[in-house]
């Protein structure tokens, strides 16, 4: 699936990450304003390596202009056990719907892989975002020192299967069990 959005500066597309993206993804993680201050230790030595990209479902949102290709964000979906391991949007690209687009893309990929749920252990300040795009709180993940010295919200995306209506059209995630809540202004 290729998805697109038009943030300021031009259109962006989501594609499967490749090994040569590793350094850019690592810079995005380490440079995120969300992980400054008390959260800095968690990402100080974090590395998204080519081996990680190959082992998991990693997708990157990129925009291309006259100066080349720019990484705007990415996510990593671990299939077994199902977990959204990473989701980052570049500081300058936040607030334009890119995070929602990445989550919608992740849900589509998860359904295609046969998953009915995806776990998220959230960075504490990101819990509101995840809830706004349909995740439900399921508990708390305990601190894991030395890098993670705070408890984190644990959430889950519940992914009902696609259903074909009587008109032959596919309805995304519209099973009669566990409906997905979509936040204001968003689409799943």
């Amino acid at each position: 699936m290729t998805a697109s959005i038009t943030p300021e500066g031009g259109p962006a597309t989501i594609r499967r990450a490749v090994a040569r993206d590793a350094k850019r993804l690592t810079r995005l993680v380490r440079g995120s304003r969300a992980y400054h201050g008390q959260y800095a230790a968690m990402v100080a030595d974090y590395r998204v390596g080519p081996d990680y990209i190959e082992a998991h479902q990693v997708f990157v949102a990129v925009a291309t202009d006259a100066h080349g290709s720019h990484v705007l964000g990415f996510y990593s979906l671990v299939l077994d056990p199902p977990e959204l391991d990473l989701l980052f949007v570049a500081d300058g690209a936040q607030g334009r719907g890119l995070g929602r687009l990445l989550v919608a893309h992740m849900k589509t990929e998860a359904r295609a892989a046969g998953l009915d749920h995806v776990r998220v252990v959230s960075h504490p300040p990101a819990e509101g975002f995840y809830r706004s795009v349909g995740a439900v709180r399921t508990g708390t993940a305990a601190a894991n020192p030395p890098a993670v010295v705070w408890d984190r919200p644990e959430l889950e995306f519940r992914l009902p299967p696609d259903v074909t209506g009587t008109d032959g059209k596919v309805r995304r995630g519209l099973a009669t069990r566990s409906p997905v809540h979509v936040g204001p202004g968003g689409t799943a």
Side-chain angles (χ1 to χ4, degrees), residues 15-102:
R15 62 164 172 78
R16 186 75 187 253
V18 294
R20 71 177 177 274
D21 293 319
K23 288 182 182 178
R24 294 194 293 179
L25 301 184
T26 297
R27 280 193 301 269
L28 188 88
V29 170
R30 290 182 183 175
S32 174
R33 280 192 316 245
Y35 286 89
H36 286 175
Q38 68 176 339
Y39 302 115
M42 185 177 176
V43 297
D45 295 323
Y46 200 88
R47 180 178 166 271
V48 179
D51 52 337
Y52 181 88
I53 291 170
E54 186 172 315
H56 303 296
Q57 304 285 315
V58 181
F59 289 86
V60 61
V62 295
T64 305
D65 62 19
H67 304 288
S69 176
H70 308 280
V71 172
L72 300 176
F74 77 100
Y75 75 87
S76 172
L77 175 63
V78 175
L79 298 178
D80 189 21
E83 183 171 359
L84 177 62
D85 188 39
L86 300 169
L87 187 143
F88 281 85
V89 174
D91 294 339
Q94 292 180 8
R96 300 180 188 155
L98 187 60
R100 288 182 180 279
L101 181 70
L102 287 167

Side-chain angles (χ1 to χ4, degrees), residues 82-85 106 118-123 130 135 138 153-157:
E83 183 171 359
L84 177 62
D85 188 39
M106 180 276 301
V118 175
R119 176 180 182 242
V120 179
V121 177
S122 176
H123 178 48
Y130 286 117
T138 58
E154 186 172 340
L155 303 108
E156 182 177 89
F157 287 103

